[in-house]
């Protein structure tokens, strides 16, 4: 029974990761959408003039580290951290993609928005480390497994007690 409980943690883990990503991914897409509103076409290039207060607001997080990157046509860096990995897939019809990556040895989750412009696409990426997500996954698993393990232990104790009690009249 205990083995069954432990084996059930495998799908439970993947469900917990999905729940954590669903909970936090919208928080990554929102600032990317705000920055997208500041993209302007000039005659020769693309400019993104984001107020410093908006950049500061994006970077406020007491647990995770937040990164952003804006690239223009030809992957030319316009602003932000130049090391955020690019999405490994093409962007869907909404021009948005969410993906996991590694930056400077740390797991990150990235929201990328592609904006078509006259001179080419502008790609906005907002990334954060996964400390809050990892903590949520841990809490979900502990919350789900603790009662299941306790029930398995109690079932084993009662089973053992029942067998001993049932066999007691047969023993000399």
């Amino acid at each position: 029974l205990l083995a069954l409980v432990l084996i059930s943690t495998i799908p439970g883990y993947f469900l917990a990761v999905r729940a954590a990503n669903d909970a936090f991914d919208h928080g990554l897409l929102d600032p990317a959408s705000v920055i997208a509103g500041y993209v302007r076409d000039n005659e020769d290039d693309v400019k993104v003039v984001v107020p410093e207060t908006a950049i500061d607001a994006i970077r406020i997080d007491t647990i995770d580290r937040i990164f952003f990157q804006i690239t223009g046509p030809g992957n030319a860096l316009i602003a932000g951290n130049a090391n955020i990995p690019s999405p490994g897939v093409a962007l869907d019809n909404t021009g948005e993609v969410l993906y996991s990556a590694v930056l400077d040895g740390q797991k990150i989750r990235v929201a990328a928005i592609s904006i078509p412009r006259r001179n080419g696409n502008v790609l906005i990426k907002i990334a954060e480390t996964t400390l809050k997500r990892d903590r949520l996954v841990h809490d979900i698993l502990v919350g789900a497994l603790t009662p299941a393990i306790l029930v398995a232990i109690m079932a084993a104790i009662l089973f053992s007690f029942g067998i001993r009690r049932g066999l007691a009249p047969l023993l000399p």
Side-chain angles (χ1 to χ4, degrees):
L1 189 59
L2 192 57
L4 270 169
V5 169
L6 294 177
I7 289 171
S8 72
T9 62
I10 295 168
Y13 170 78
F14 290 109
L15 288 171
V17 168
R18 181 174 177 183
N21 282 339
D22 287 348
F24 290 108
D25 281 348
H26 293 291
L28 285 177
L29 281 171
D30 292 342
S33 297
V34 169
I35 290 175
Y38 291 102
V39 175
R40 303 287 181 259
D41 282 317
N42 287 344
E43 291 180 19
D44 296 331
D45 61 354
V46 176
K47 297 280 186 202
V48 180
V49 182
V50 182
E52 196 62 37
T53 54
I55 297 297
D56 290 343
I58 289 169
R59 289 188 170 160
I60 292 175
D61 193 318
T62 58
I63 298 171
D64 283 310
R65 291 181 57 205
I66 308 292
F67 309 94
F68 79 100
Q69 180 188 56
I70 305 168
T71 55
N75 284 335
L77 181 65
I78 296 172
N81 183 318
N83 297 324
I84 297 175
S86 292
V89 297
L91 296 177
D92 61 13
N93 292 337
T94 63
E96 303 172 350
V97 67
L98 295 156
Y99 59 98
S100 298
V102 175
L103 177 64
D104 298 331
Q106 290 185 305
K107 294 186 309 180
I108 59 170
R109 186 75 174 159
V110 184
I113 295 179
S114 180
I115 305 165
R117 290 296 183 208
R118 179 175 19 157
N119 299 330
N121 286 354
V122 173
L123 184 62
I124 299 167
K125 294 184 272 189
I126 305 289
E128 71 178 354
T129 54
T130 61
L131 299 175
K132 287 185 299 225
R133 294 165 194 261
D134 293 344
R135 184 181 297 168
L136 180 59
V137 168
H138 175 267
D139 291 348
I140 289 171
L141 287 177
V142 167
L145 285 178
T146 301
I149 290 171
L150 291 174
V151 166
I153 291 170
M154 289 302 296
I157 291 170
L158 290 173
F159 180 75
S160 174
F161 176 76
I163 294 291
R164 275 190 266 134
R165 181 133 170 127
L167 294 177
L170 300 175
L171 297 175

